[in-house]
Amino acid sequence: MRPSGAKANFLPPGLVSNLQDVLSSRKGAPQNDKNDDSTEPNSVSDDPVEVDDTKPVVLVTNADGIESPGLTYLVDALIRLGLYNVNVCAPQSDESMAGHSLTLKESIAVTSAEIHGATAYEVSGTPVDCVSLALSGALFSWSKPMLVISGINKGSSCGRHMFYSGVLAGARESLFSGVPSISISLDWKKDESQESDFKDAVGVCLPLINAALRDIEKGFFPKCCLLHVEIPKSPLTNKGFKSTRQSHWSPKLCWQAISASRNPAAGRFVPNQQMLGLQLAQLGRDASAAGAARRLATQKKNIEEVESVGVSGKSDPNQKAKYFRLELLDKKQEEGDDDLDFIALENGFIAVTPVSLSMHVEADVHAAASEWISTALEVEQ
């Protein structure tokens, strides 16, 4: 699926640039510098993008991937409003359970994404990679957005699921940098929900987004927390917004053993081209392990990076691997207060939960832990 506002141009911008150079040379026109890395097909395009500096900058990311309908409908709606300078930096694939993870010791690829009306990039990394890179100043021309929106995610992220959630991690990373943020999830139900629910979800949360941007500019928006928004499975029949607290609800983690014959890594159910790609990737990793490091020059910023690859482990042909697959199952929800996130969501409200960066520990818990620490050390001494 392509974003609804995507241009119908399937040629990489670098390839188009190379073709233009060839045509120009045939006409006797001077050629562009061929040493410029920006002419590579997979590089980030340096073509100028019209930016209205008078409009507030909004950065949109997500966890489901840049081509997911939740992000597509949200970006399209923000662009149609004509009020904001919309920018997108999102994972190229599903990273919904990535949590607050960063990519280290590996390079990530960034390519331009064709979304009409927005400056957009897709990243071969996690939501946290996307937000961290976007706010670093190395990718976009602006220094700081007014608001970061992460979503709309496919599936609820209530309770303890927030710790696993990639969509919430994107908003949290923004708050780490002092930028206000909102994360949004739709309570998607298998065999019940449909893609149009994302469009409806955008419609019901736009008033909150507009209000947030208005109050950020006035200095009224809360600075000590992000807002996590949970939209019920039927967005148009919601009972309104409700301020909620994070509950202790969590999905049941169910690990199932998978036979080697059913596991893709064993070679079954994998197309020949894909399997060849996996084998070549492994050969590449093994070759890199024998070398030291290779240098990458970033001409645009005059920054020198060193990509280091560690020694890869040697596999034992006599050792058999076991394969497991994780599934998340809904646990039976216990009764609780009406202002808990999952209860408000089940009751049809749009649950808005403030999420703080503070690692607060209740006074009684802190006292009990302190007593144990002092007692345990006395015994050991």
Side-chain angles (χ1 to χ4, degrees):
M1 173 182 171
R2 292 176 59 83
S4 59
K7 298 177 182 178
N9 181 7
F10 297 97
L11 292 177
L15 179 58
V16 174
S17 177
N18 288 341
L19 290 174
Q20 289 174 341
D21 289 344
V22 172
L23 292 174
S24 298
S25 64
R26 288 181 179 179
K27 295 178 182 179
Q31 298 185 22
N32 293 333
D33 186 4
K34 296 300 179 182
N35 293 325
D36 187 358
D37 289 341
S38 65
T39 59
E40 295 182 8
N42 291 328
S43 65
V44 175
S45 174
D46 289 335
D47 295 337
V49 178
E50 293 185 7
V51 177
D52 188 347
D53 294 333
T54 64
K55 296 179 180 179
V57 175
V58 176
L59 174 66
V60 181
T61 189
N62 77 341
D64 292 342
I66 195 166
E67 294 188 346
S68 66
L71 182 139
T72 300
Y73 284 119
L74 176 59
V75 171
D76 185 63
L78 291 172
I79 293 172
R80 288 177 182 274
L81 285 176
L83 301 174
Y84 313 119
N85 175 3
V86 182
N87 300 261
V88 180
C89 189
Q92 67 181 18
S93 59
D94 188 356
E95 297 284 345
S96 57
M97 295 295 287
H100 207 102
S101 60
L102 279 166
T103 301
L104 293 175
K105 300 181 181 179
E106 293 181 17
S107 296
I108 60 174
V110 180
T111 56
S112 298
E114 298 282 336
I115 301 179
H116 182 68
T119 304
Y121 299 103
E122 61 178 70
V123 179
S124 64
T126 68
V128 174
D129 288 329
C130 295
V131 175
S132 178
L133 175 61
L135 300 183
S136 70
L139 186 60
F140 291 97
S141 59
W142 39 260
S143 59
K144 186 177 181 181
M146 183 172 289
L147 177 68
V148 171
I149 306 172
S150 184
I152 297 174
N153 189 65
K154 182 180 180 180
S156 169
S157 300
C158 285
R160 293 175 179 170
H161 199 170
M162 292 186 186
F163 295 103
Y164 302 115
S165 171
V167 71
L168 194 131
R172 187 188 297 115
E173 181 64 24
S174 174
L175 194 58
F176 281 167
S177 299
V179 179
S181 59
I182 297 175
S183 57
I184 309 172
S185 294
L186 171 65
D187 190 22
W188 179 275
K189 299 296 183 183
K190 186 178 179 181
D191 300 327
E192 294 182 38
S193 300
Q194 49 192 356
E195 188 174 307
S196 61
D197 292 333
F198 285 106
K199 186 175 183 179
D200 297 336
V202 171
V204 301
C205 70
L206 268 183
L208 178 67
I209 294 173
N210 289 330
L213 283 159
R214 177 198 66 210
D215 287 349
I216 289 170
E217 201 163 13
K218 294 180 179 179
F220 296 154
F221 192 80
K223 299 179 180 179
C224 57
C225 66
L226 65 91
L227 298 182
H228 179 60
V229 182
E230 290 279 350
I231 301 175
K233 60 182 180 180
S234 300
L236 295 182
T237 60
N238 75 84
K239 297 179 180 179
F241 290 91
K242 189 179 183 68
S243 179
T244 54
R245 296 181 293 115
Q246 182 180 1
S247 65
H248 293 293
W249 180 86
S250 64
K252 181 179 180 182
L253 306 185
C254 181
W255 286 96
Q256 294 184 347
I258 304 297
S259 64
S261 61
R262 291 178 56 198
N263 184 63
R268 285 271 181 105
F269 307 127
V270 179
N272 290 335
Q273 279 186 319
Q274 186 177 349
M275 197 61 213
L276 177 60
L278 292 172
Q279 292 171 348
L280 289 174
Q282 182 59 51
L283 287 173
R285 285 192 292 268
D286 292 343
S288 297
R294 63 185 178 87
R295 298 181 181 272
L296 298 175
T298 307
Q299 293 185 354
K300 186 176 180 181
K301 294 293 183 180
N302 294 323
I303 298 175
E304 190 177 73
E305 294 181 54
V306 177
E307 181 186 9
S308 179
V309 183
V311 178
S312 60
K314 298 180 180 179
S315 58
D316 184 354
N318 298 322
Q319 187 176 12
K320 293 184 178 180
K322 296 181 179 180
Y323 301 97
F324 297 87
R325 181 171 297 164
L326 175 64
E327 292 185 8
L328 299 182
L329 304 179
D330 285 341
K331 291 171 62 176
K332 184 178 179 180
Q333 299 175 354
E334 300 177 358
E335 295 295 329
D337 296 335
D338 292 340
D339 65 345
L340 292 178
D341 51 10
F342 78 90
I343 292 182
L345 186 65
E346 287 295 315
N347 290 336
F349 289 95
I350 302 173
V352 183
T353 306
V355 180
S356 173
L357 299 180
S358 173
M359 303 298 289
H360 177 70
V361 179
E362 299 294 339
D364 56 341
V365 175
H366 186 275
S370 298
E371 182 181 354
W372 178 87
I373 292 170
S374 60
T375 304
L377 292 177
E378 288 178 1
V379 172
E380 287 296 321
Q381 293 175 355

